[in-house]
Amino acid sequence: MSNRLTSFTNDGFTFDVIDEGPLDGTPVVLLHGFPQTAAEWSRVAPHLHERGYRTIAPTQRGYSPGARPSGRVAYRMSALVGDAAKLIAELGAGPVHLVGHDWGSAVAWSTAAAHPELVRTLTSVSAPHPMAFIRSMVTSSQALRSFYIALFQIPWLPEFAISRAFRAVESSNRPAVRRRALEFSQMDSDQFDRIKRDVVDTGALPFALNWYRAMLIAGPGGAAQKVSTPTTHVWSTRDSALVRKGADLTAEYVTGPYRLEVLDATHWIPEERPVELAGIIAARANGSDGG
């Protein structure tokens, strides 16, 4: 493809895309997590461009203004994978290097399982293989870390509470309030403000929460399959949402070359460790990581 991809359509919805780097570079598709947009990758992408890669980062279902179907059924994993597969097909460049963080990682795992012909390599960030995550829920403290998933099932209240919290921080004239909010969320100021602007203020939050609400109406499906794609999983030691057990179990669900990378960071690896993460992605892409 010789032109920039600024959007694509699937299921009648239009998705925004950030397409950067050398047009003739090998494509790397970057899938964001919750509660973020394609802008999550703004610190990682330049380091991939320096290595000659072209990055394509979609703002996914529920987040793109033109792709906000109502009802949780529209956010089941098969629909999210369908979006990713359509984007890769739209590029017309053959299989891509696929990277996902958080929920984007879950979509990446499922895409690699359902469409191995579309994925050259997989780099999953934070979220382990779905079955490894499920097993970690009953063999570690992961269930306690995931209590918020149950809270997110409540209608209306989570989006109201989260939106109100972001707006309260913005309107407060007390630096201590903002400092406590950043400490609690483990975000930096730029990231916090971007989520407020791009997700809360645009009305995307209720739709983004549907990703969690759809979990109870659709099982892991194809995501239960082992992945043959060469894969690197990245976990961080200070992740408040995901424990080490899921990362350790993930190796059992990859039949191709596999490597686990552990970084000293919070859950927000793309913002905190962009240089190291770009290096890990590139190493998996060019096969030089030894895994």
Side-chain angles (χ1 to χ4, degrees):
M1 185 172 181
S2 59
N3 298 318
R4 290 295 181 193
L5 187 67
T6 59
S7 65
F8 74 99
T9 60
N10 190 45
D11 286 345
F13 304 114
T14 301
F15 299 81
D16 298 332
V17 177
I18 299 176
D19 180 354
E20 299 175 316
L23 272 172
D24 61 349
T26 302
V28 177
V29 172
L30 305 166
L31 303 179
H32 67 81
F34 174 89
Q36 300 182 282
T37 66
E40 171 184 5
W41 300 103
S42 61
R43 300 181 192 179
V44 176
H47 301 290
L48 291 172
H49 303 158
E50 291 173 358
R51 292 173 165 86
Y53 293 100
R54 173 187 177 188
T55 60
I56 302 94
T59 292
Q60 297 189 84
R61 183 174 293 228
Y63 296 87
S64 278
R68 293 179 182 172
S70 59
R72 59 180 181 169
V73 174
Y75 297 85
R76 62 198 184 281
M77 183 55 70
S78 59
L80 305 176
V81 169
D83 296 337
K86 181 62 181 297
L87 169 60
I88 296 171
E90 194 81 9
L91 289 171
V96 302
H97 300 294
L98 186 60
V99 182
H101 172 243
D102 186 75
W103 261 111
S105 178
V107 176
W109 279 111
S110 296
T111 301
H115 301 284
E117 75 282 358
L118 298 180
V119 184
R120 292 176 63 178
T121 68
L122 170 65
T123 302
S124 61
V125 186
S126 297
H129 185 281
M131 288 305 297
F133 176 75
I134 291 171
R135 286 178 59 193
S136 72
M137 293 279 279
V138 296
T139 57
S140 71
S141 62
Q142 183 60 61
L144 293 175
R145 297 281 188 100
S146 299
F147 73 94
Y148 63 90
I149 294 177
L151 296 179
F152 284 173
Q153 306 305 314
I154 303 171
W156 307 111
L157 183 60
E159 45 264 60
F160 172 77
I162 295 171
S163 298
R164 184 172 181 179
F166 270 91
R167 288 170 179 147
V169 172
E170 182 184 54
S171 62
S172 176
N173 294 321
R174 299 170 57 190
V177 171
R178 184 176 182 84
R179 183 173 64 252
R180 285 196 295 270
L182 295 179
E183 290 173 353
F184 176 78
S185 66
Q186 296 186 311
M187 299 177 189
D188 61 36
S189 288
D190 289 343
Q191 181 185 1
F192 189 91
D193 292 342
R194 187 173 67 237
I195 292 172
K196 163 70 167 50
R197 180 182 66 249
D198 295 348
V199 178
V200 176
D201 289 348
T202 66
L205 187 58
F207 302 97
L209 285 165
N210 277 335
W211 287 49
Y212 288 96
R213 291 163 179 162
M215 293 174 70
L216 300 184
I217 60 173
Q225 301 174 15
K226 294 185 177 182
V227 172
S228 59
T229 304
T231 298
T232 297
H233 180 54
V234 186
W235 181 76
S236 47
T237 57
R238 291 180 284 116
D239 193 320
S240 61
L242 295 158
V243 301
R244 174 70 184 252
K245 185 67 172 181
D248 289 338
L249 289 171
T250 290
E252 299 180 23
Y253 297 94
V254 182
T255 60
Y258 175 75
R259 186 178 183 88
L260 171 64
E261 292 280 359
V262 178
L263 298 179
D264 178 20
T266 70
H267 181 72
W268 312 110
I269 296 172
E271 284 86 2
E272 289 185 28
R273 304 292 294 274
V275 176
E276 293 91 337
L277 181 56
I280 290 170
I281 295 168
R284 172 50 68 193
N286 65 30
S288 65
D289 68 352

